[in-house]
Amino acid sequence: MSRQNSATDDDAGAIDLTPMLDVVFIMLIFFIVTATFIKEPGVEVERPDATTSDYKNSKILIAVDNDDKIWIDKNEIDESLVKDQIELLIAENPKSPVVIQADSKSTIKMLNIVAQKAREVGVADISIATNKQ
């Protein structure tokens, strides 16, 4: 008899952690779902100043640095592969605009090439990121 009583006494003193774990997992799922993921092109650029600007939230960011190198998703991309990379990004986010972050020391020629590649893929909403004065 004493064996059965001691076993039930141990169970009575134990704390059930199942509800706490359920709450923790629900909170974890909530934070993962509601988190916003910011995409970075992979290189820091010095954007030109503009007197008028409008903020656009885009998942497709393309950077052109001061040496006219093209960066997408933290990878330097050759000029001939830009169109293919934009096609892949458009397949993931079909309605997202393309934002080009061109360094103020980059050439307009490279900016035009990147914009033309985006137009060839079928993107109608192309913007250039600037700093607001």
Side-chain angles (χ1 to χ4, degrees), residues 5-133:
N5 287 340
S6 66
T8 56
D9 289 342
D10 289 342
D11 290 341
I15 298 174
D16 186 18
L17 296 178
T18 306
M20 184 182 72
L21 290 175
D22 289 344
V23 170
V24 169
F25 282 125
I26 289 172
M27 288 175 50
L28 178 67
I29 291 169
F30 172 76
F31 287 124
I32 289 173
V33 169
T34 59
T36 58
F37 297 101
I38 300 171
K39 289 208 171 201
E40 294 292 328
V43 66
E44 189 66 35
V45 295
E46 184 180 323
R47 295 180 289 194
D49 293 329
T51 54
T52 60
S53 65
D54 188 19
Y55 177 77
K56 283 199 174 191
N57 188 9
S58 176
K59 298 194 186 293
I60 303 174
L61 296 175
I62 303 171
V64 179
D65 66 5
N66 56 356
D67 294 327
D68 283 342
K69 294 179 183 171
I70 302 167
W71 294 80
I72 300 174
D73 285 340
K74 300 181 183 175
N75 296 317
E76 184 178 346
I77 305 296
D78 188 52
E79 181 182 331
S80 61
L81 299 175
V82 172
K83 183 178 175 182
D84 296 333
Q85 288 294 319
I86 295 173
E87 282 178 344
L88 289 173
L89 295 172
I90 289 296
E92 293 174 7
N93 302 302
K95 294 186 179 184
S96 181
V98 171
V99 175
I100 303 171
Q101 295 178 338
D103 194 281
S104 59
K105 295 177 183 166
S106 64
T107 62
I108 193 72
K109 178 184 174 187
M110 188 55 68
L111 178 70
N112 190 23
I113 288 170
V114 172
Q116 185 61 34
K117 300 281 185 183
R119 280 189 213 102
E120 288 174 8
V121 173
V123 178
D125 193 1
I126 303 170
S127 302
I128 300 169
T130 59
N131 288 328
K132 191 171 187 176
Q133 284 184 333

